[in-house]
Amino acid sequence: IVCLTAYTAPMAAVLDAYCDLMLVGDSLAMVVYGMDNTRDIDLDTMIRHGKAVMRRQETALVVIDLPAGSYEDSPEQAIASARRVIDETGAHGVKLEGGIAMRAHVQAISGSGIPVMGHIGFTPQFKKKFKIEGATSASAIKLLKEAKKIEKAGAFSIVLECLSPASAKLITNSLKIPTIGIGSSSYCDG
């Protein structure tokens, strides 16, 4: 699976022919706007950039990140934000960060008919200090449990960010849904 991040119409026009999936990531905050982290981008900005990417999308699936502050408070907030993203952009799905704590949110969004991509491991919206996740057997098992809960909640795919190769392999081989790696080795499906 080829998945790349696109933030603008020109980027999407170039990437669409080569990607199975384009992610409008909240990393937009740092890459385009020069912010210090991903936590300061808002839903309106994500929607604007999602619309831009969709203007040039022809074949790739487009998933848009739900930014920090737009979904964590409750499953109801998560559904409302996800519905707004889909209705205003025409994108194919949304992505949200978090493991077991976000299971009800994933279930609510997917239950409302909106495809959801999960995201575990290093989650920049929640963790301020970067570190490789899943480096010990205990942490790998914890991540596997989180991934299985997100899968069971209805996610169609899951991002594994900055996992050890062994953890990425364990999770990828244990799930029925595809994994997309961000710095998590070639053991991921994409």
Side-chain angles (χ1 to χ4, degrees), residues 41-48 65-67 70 80-81 84-85:
I41 203 83
D42 62 23
L43 191 61
D44 290 334
T45 305
M46 293 303 300
I47 289 170
R48 257 190 315 280
D65 265 342
L66 292 179
S70 71
S81 294
R84 190 168 161 225
V85 166

Side-chain angles (χ1 to χ4, degrees), residues 5-16:
T5 305
Y7 308 116
T8 64
M11 288 175 82
V14 171
L15 297 178
D16 184 74

